[in-house]
Amino acid sequence: MLELQNLSFQVSGDTDSQKEIIKNISLTFEDHTFIAITGPNGGGKSTLAKLIMGIEKPTAGKIVFNGTDITDMSITERARLGISFAFQQPVRFKGIKVKDLITLAAGSNIKLSSACDYLSRVGLCARDYINRDVDTSLSGGELKRIEIATIIARNTPLSVFDEPEAGIDLWSFNNLIKVFEDLHSSTDNSLIIISHQERILNIADEIVVLAGGSVQARGHREDILPELLNGTGGCKLYNQQ
Amino acid sequence: MDEIQRNLLEQVAGLHEMPAGAYNIRANGQSVDRSTTAHIDIITKEDKQGIDIVIKPGTKKESVHIPVLLSQSGLTEMVYNDFHVGDDCDVTIVAGCGIHNSGDSDSRHDGIHTFYIGKNSHVKYVEKHYGSGDGRGERIMNPETVVLLGENSFMELETVQIKGVDSTRRSTTATLSDGAKLIVTEKLMTHGSQTAETSFQVDLNGEGSSANIISRSVAKDDSRQLFLSKINGNSRCAGHSECDGIIMDRATISAIPEITANNLDAELIHEAAIGKIAGEQITKLMTLGLTEEQAEAQIVNGFLK
Ligand SMILES: Nc1ncnc2c1ncn2[C@@H]1O[C@H](COP(=O)(O)OP(=O)(O)OP(=O)(O)O)[C@@H](O)[C@H]1O
Ligand SMILES: [Mg+2]
């Protein structure tokens, strides 16, 4: 479904030196898979997600999506091919309503009731939110959930969520877990979820640990989780680079 | 009325047919249609161009439409409209000017609207400006609004100019008595080589008076905008003005705010932000499948909605 081949991403640092944020990563994801990506802050997770969506362009390597080389494709082209991305920090707009954003995401003039359904799925009372502006008046957690609702509305073959749980309260977190389980079981779509939460890692088919811009480990949760959670083991993984 | 005038009427007043309530329609310098009600009278001025609109005390839930249409190229006019709103009224006034110029000489409408508003009244005033036609002649509008707001009265003033006006200089002055409240929302878009200048002067004279001026504008292509606002706090009062501008292409916007507190209990705030569309907003909409151009259009439309 998705192949990252020798992917690297460098930025120019303060002192002429190049800083390598993603270092020669090669990963292949099967169809209908649910991958969790975890790792320490600054490990390169969000950058990798942006490379997949086309928000950043790799300095080396190739990205292949369902057999198509998308490395040089724009964000729009990738979105239309079937990739979605829920931002770690969702964007606010003056004058764009929740309803507008969900309609744009769904890609057609959907009925108001279906727009409301997407909101309900992320635990927002649709009546209270559908006509609100996606601006600074929304709380961080509300904005996060609306972001998730737009990705559900898109219903694409691949959805990448960047720390969807951040800022979401405990009660809603249980529902969120269910949302991801449902997304995984009720469609053939694939999910990549960047997360620091054990409970999300627990429901993924596979876990990738990213640290220092490299893949430190990849495997099934039975193998990876104990390593991660066990203090020294976790340190070992995190400190390898 | 011909097709061009009907289109202008729809653009500036949202009207497909004659409105209910009082109205006066002015087309190419003449009053072409008028209707009055038991509470609202419209009288032609004797000494100069324009009308007096007299709204009796206690008039509730009524509206007045006074659109102005110019479709004859090269016409220039100066019109004085005075609104006399009694005490305890609750009315909506819809004004607006549409110019269609397909000729080579400039068409121009200058209007002075003066509001004498009594006590405890609520006035909603909506003004839209629109230009069309592809002649080389310019479409020029210079509206001036003067508001004298009586005790505990509340005025909402909405102005919109989205399309087709080549040059505009708008001036609004307001004087507020005790407990009076003014809210102004301005939406403005300029493109091509248009210029727009808007200036506000608000004197908060009354105890407990307040004013809020909110301007949202988009400048595209080579257009230029200037936003001036002066709020004088002359008593215990609250004043707030906000200018939010998006610039695109080679356009420029200047915002020059001035707030003066002449009283220890005056609370005045000005906020201004001008810049291009945030890149991450475009990126976000592109991740939903929009092209960059579609994303920009969506953001601009929403911003001015
Ligand atoms: N454009 C850039 N210029 C310079 N440094 C960058 C740039 N983008 C990312 N970085 C750096 O690259 C590293 C990886 O950032 P990234 O946001 O991918 O981390 P992350 O794994 O998502 O972290 P977190 O768990 O905190 O979200 C960080 O050290 C960050 O400061
Ligand atoms: Mg991150």
Side-chain angles (χ1 to χ4, degrees), chain A residues 183-215:
Chain A
L183 279 180
H184 189 37
S185 62
S186 67
T187 66
D188 289 334
N189 298 340
S190 295
L191 301 175
I192 296 179
I193 302 187
I194 296 169
S195 177
H196 299 289
Q197 280 293 326
E198 188 191 341
R199 290 186 50 201
I200 290 188
L201 305 184
N202 254 322
I203 56 169
D205 300 332
E206 267 193 296
I207 299 171
V208 171
V209 182
L210 200 64
S214 307
V215 176

Side-chain angles (χ1 to χ4, degrees), chain A residues 53 55 75-76 79-80 83-85 87 91-97 100-101 104-105 147 150-151 154, chain B residues 216 242 244 273 280-292 294 298-299 301-305:
Chain A
M53 189 71 237
I55 297 170
I75 301 171
T76 310
R80 291 178 179 175
I83 303 178
S84 300
F85 176 45
F87 286 41
V91 182
R92 297 174 196 263
F93 297 88
K94 280 183 178 165
I96 292 188
K97 291 191 190 307
D100 303 333
L101 208 58
L104 287 173
E147 182 83 354
T150 60
I151 303 307
R154 270 181 60 72
Chain B
R216 277 198 184 175
E242 184 180 322
D244 218 333
E280 59 168 14
Q281 293 184 336
I282 294 176
T283 302
K284 172 65 203 178
L285 295 186
M286 287 172 74
T287 68
L288 301 180
L290 277 68
T291 63
E292 193 171 341
Q294 289 169 335
Q298 188 75 40
I299 292 163
N301 288 344
F303 185 70
L304 293 176
K305 204 165 48 199

Side-chain angles (χ1 to χ4, degrees), chain B residues 19-24 35 37 40-42 51 53-55 59 62-67 83 91-95 124-126:
Chain B
Y23 61 82
N24 183 79
S35 166
T37 71
I40 302 178
D41 203 5
I42 300 179
I51 48 179
I53 295 102
V54 183
I55 301 176
T59 304
E62 285 202 41
S63 66
V64 190
H65 284 79
I66 52 155
F83 300 81
V91 291
T92 300
I93 298 169
V94 182
K124 179 167 177 164
Y125 175 61
V126 182

Side-chain angles (χ1 to χ4, degrees), chain B residues 9 12-13 15 23-27 65-69 94-97:
Chain B
L9 188 62
V12 298
L15 295 175
Y23 61 82
N24 183 79
I25 298 172
R26 183 184 170 93
H65 284 79
I66 52 155
V68 171
L69 315 171
V94 182
C97 179

Side-chain angles (χ1 to χ4, degrees), chain A residues 9 11-13 19-22 39-48 50 56 88 162-163 194 196 210:
Chain A
F9 179 65
V11 292
S12 18
K19 185 179 170 201
E20 199 163 31
I21 296 169
I22 295 295
N41 294 134
K45 302 179 296 297
S46 294
T47 307
L48 187 66
K50 288 176 188 164
E56 299 284 6
Q88 182 169 4
D162 197 349
E163 298 193 24
I194 296 169
H196 299 289
L210 200 64

